[in-house]
Amino acid sequence: MLTNWDYIYSLCRNISTEIKRSGYEPDVIIALARGGWFAGRVLCDFLGLDDLSSLKIEHYIGDTAIDTGEPYIRYPLSNNVMEGKKVLIVDDIVDTGESMLSARAYVENHNPTEVRTASLQYLGSSKIDPDYVGERLEDWAWIIYPWNFIEDMTSILTKCMRKDPKKLWNLEDLKHSLYINHDLDSIVFEITQPGRLPEVLEEMERVHKVNSEIINGKKHWKLL
């Protein structure tokens, strides 16, 4: 599922409207890194807040990326960020709910007055239903947000190209593969993120994930 800045901004507005209607007046917003940063900043604007902090929840530790089995806080916050305050925790999506549950438990251990949660998007299979939600999703989907567009599209294109690693792919081939394998319609793609597929491929070439060559006047790419 492709999103753009206008769409995400509208979800932030939906959340802020819900918060205002509920009567909740947070003193501080804690945005979960990295997905919650944009939403956290925009909600500060909608709610007239200037107190914004960030919390990073991770599932792996060390250079060897050992799975701890439980999320943990990488950069703890000082007590005065949360103590005696009404806190709003914000993330981009709540799917499993693990990160939001860990964040809420962490904040509650620092003596806030009250803690509520918000998410731009929410999947019903989550272990937690946030207090405020911009959009509820029926089924799981790979959400491509504008702040990690190149990162996610690099992963998706790499998966597409690995299905035929010796193939030289042109833009038409890749667009077809995105539609067949990831339900990314080329028309929707161009409306949502116009002209950006070549940009992603250029970045993939820059970081040595693919190389390119011109064949019959068309550029083609191949996995390295």
Side-chain angles (χ1 to χ4, degrees):
M1 177 179 176
L2 282 166
T3 62
N4 59 20
W5 294 109
D6 288 342
Y7 186 75
I8 296 302
Y9 194 80
S10 71
L11 295 183
C12 291
R13 181 180 282 111
N14 292 346
I15 290 172
S16 70
T17 299
E18 280 193 27
I19 293 170
K20 291 173 184 177
R21 286 175 178 169
S22 74
Y24 189 56
E25 297 183 1
D27 301 302
V28 58
I29 289 176
I30 296 180
L32 300 191
R34 297 174 296 170
W37 286 345
F38 178 80
R41 179 61 187 92
V42 173
L43 286 172
C44 279
D45 188 44
F46 279 133
L47 299 174
L49 291 173
D50 60 7
D51 199 348
L52 174 64
S53 291
S54 178
L55 198 60
K56 187 170 179 61
I57 312 290
E58 292 193 348
H59 297 259
Y60 299 89
I61 58 173
D63 295 334
T64 56
I66 300 171
D67 189 346
T68 64
E70 296 290 338
Y72 79 103
I73 309 299
R74 181 164 185 177
Y75 303 115
L77 297 173
S78 61
N79 284 345
N80 61 9
V81 172
M82 299 160 281
E83 190 171 4
K85 295 180 181 179
K86 292 182 178 180
V87 179
L88 179 68
I89 305 172
V90 179
D91 206 358
D92 54 358
I93 186 168
V94 170
D95 44 17
T96 66
E98 293 287 352
S99 293
M100 186 65 82
L101 282 170
S102 295
R104 190 177 67 181
Y106 175 78
V107 173
E108 287 173 343
N109 284 332
H110 288 77
N111 302 312
T113 301
E114 189 174 354
V115 182
R116 296 191 188 183
T117 57
S119 179
L120 292 175
Q121 293 172 312
Y122 162 77
L123 195 63
S125 58
S126 168
K127 296 178 181 179
I128 179 176
D129 189 345
D131 297 291
Y132 309 104
V133 175
E135 179 180 41
R136 295 180 181 272
L137 304 174
E138 294 292 331
D139 301 304
W140 185 90
W142 189 334
I143 311 296
I144 303 173
Y145 295 107
W147 49 82
N148 61 307
F149 175 80
I150 292 178
E151 178 182 320
D152 278 0
M153 284 307 304
T154 294
S155 295
I156 292 172
L157 285 172
T158 299
K159 287 183 178 181
C160 288
M161 297 171 82
R162 279 179 179 159
K163 292 181 180 297
D164 192 349
K166 295 182 179 180
K167 178 182 175 70
L168 286 167
W169 298 78
N170 60 30
L171 280 177
E172 289 73 21
D173 294 334
L174 289 168
K175 288 177 181 178
H176 181 69
S177 183
L178 288 172
Y179 177 70
I180 295 299
N181 296 301
H182 297 279
D183 200 27
L184 292 176
D185 183 87
S186 59
I187 295 175
V188 176
F189 194 105
E190 286 303 312
I191 292 172
T192 310
Q193 297 287 344
R196 297 202 65 193
L197 189 55
E199 178 188 354
V200 177
L201 289 160
E202 184 178 305
E203 176 62 15
M204 291 175 70
E205 189 168 1
R206 186 186 72 84
V207 298
H208 308 295
K209 290 184 177 292
V210 298
N211 59 16
S212 66
E213 59 182 279
I214 304 296
I215 302 174
N216 297 325
K218 285 188 176 182
K219 197 168 188 178
H220 292 68
W221 294 267
K222 183 180 179 180
L223 280 177
L224 290 175

